[in-house]
Amino acid sequence: MLEEKRLFILDMDGTVYLGDRLFPQTLPFLRHIKETGGAYIFFTNNASRSRKTYEGRLASMGIPATPDEIMTSGDVTIQFLKTYRDSSKVLLLGTPDLEQSFRQAGIALVQDDPDIVLVSFDTGVTYEKLDRACHYVRNGAEFLSTHPDVNCPVDRGYMVDSGSLCALVTASTGKVPRYFGKPHMETLQMIMERTGCQKEEMVVIGDRLETDIALGALNGVTSVLVLTGVTSRADVETSAIKPDIIVDHIGELFSTGA
């Protein structure tokens, strides 16, 4: 099934590494892809870091990746705003790294009277910021979010993520956001535009059913679930979202690691 694939869309945490620990199968797997004429792109829903920051993180683990081989849900959201909401003023709940990415893209970030309230992974969130976001959503601002993940996995377990903050805004306002990132079609469209690959030439690999595997299942892309992250075989049995392939780790796909 994988012999005809040209592009491997790889999740990061839980797929090629866990926390600060690089999986031993990762580097042989990546080398195999390049040696056989394929390509890979790292895609994460975690918009708290920029592509440049992720490039440095991957390099610190010895993982070869150029900026063009890294994408985040923040990048997808920026492209949407530049294409369809270019003159809009945006109230952003996000990290300083994400704010910098938006400003560099020429997006107008404001604190008052926004056209759009955009909620992301914000490790500096305060009651004042949430109340401000709710006020403007309640009064007609468009409600968007970079990604739907409710928790972000960390060494100690989980951190509150974008989807949980959105749930609070929804509870207060009755408004539901438009999400980007995995598993939404805008993500796949951006990958296709950047790489020139068609859906049948791609495979998405990750550890989360509701984002990684759903990106494939909902959009006609072959999907591979790795059991090195948050999902178990028992989870698959009870889920409506089914991967095309299940492996214990990415090394099993091409026998590149034990």
Side-chain angles (χ1 to χ4, degrees), residues 146-163:
T146 54
H147 60 292
D149 303 47
V150 296
N151 288 311
C152 176
V154 293
D155 289 338
R156 61 179 172 81
Y158 295 99
M159 288 179 65
V160 172
D161 206 335
S162 171

Side-chain angles (χ1 to χ4, degrees), residues 61-254:
M61 296 183 181
I63 299 175
T66 67
D68 286 340
E69 293 173 326
I70 302 168
M71 288 176 59
T72 76
S73 63
D75 297 323
V76 178
T77 308
I78 287 171
Q79 178 163 297
F80 173 83
L81 293 174
K82 294 294 290 182
T83 304
Y84 299 105
R85 306 286 191 276
D86 194 36
S87 61
S88 295
K89 297 177 294 182
V90 178
L91 173 63
L92 173 64
L93 271 66
T95 62
D97 214 10
L98 185 62
E99 288 180 0
Q100 183 179 11
S101 295
F102 273 64
R103 289 195 176 95
Q104 288 175 343
I107 294 170
L109 299 183
V110 300
Q111 291 297 309
D112 296 301
D113 299 318
D115 303 301
I116 295 169
V117 171
L118 177 59
V119 176
S120 187
F121 188 177
D122 186 358
T123 54
V125 69
T126 63
Y127 180 88
E128 181 182 359
K129 291 170 75 172
L130 288 168
D131 185 56
R132 184 184 296 269
C134 290
H135 169 74
Y136 287 116
V137 169
R138 194 178 297 115
N139 285 278
E142 186 176 11
F143 185 17
L144 305 177
S145 177
T146 54
H147 60 292
D149 303 47
V150 296
N151 288 311
C152 176
V154 293
D155 289 338
R156 61 179 172 81
Y158 295 99
M159 288 179 65
V160 172
D161 206 335
S162 171
S164 293
L165 299 183
C166 288
L168 185 151
V169 176
T170 296
S172 177
T173 66
K175 307 295 184 180
V176 178
R178 176 175 180 172
Y179 287 108
F180 298 94
K182 297 176 286 190
H184 301 286
M185 182 59 188
E186 290 85 357
T187 291
L188 192 60
Q189 288 174 333
M190 186 171 180
I191 293 172
M192 292 169 66
E193 291 170 8
R194 178 179 291 185
T195 64
C197 289
Q198 299 304 305
K199 292 191 290 185
E200 59 271 16
E201 299 173 303
M202 300 177 178
V203 56
V204 57
I205 305 174
D207 69 309
R208 285 177 176 251
L209 292 170
E210 67 275 13
T211 54
D212 304 314
I213 305 308
L215 178 66
L218 296 175
N219 298 293
V221 176
T222 299
S223 63
V224 176
L225 176 71
V226 292
L227 302 179
T228 45
V230 300
T231 303
S232 67
R233 290 184 186 274
D235 294 328
V236 178
E237 292 176 3
T238 59
S239 174
I241 303 169
K242 304 295 185 184
D244 296 300
I245 301 170
I246 303 175
V247 292
D248 289 329
H249 53 73
I250 56 175
E252 288 187 348
L253 290 173
F254 296 118

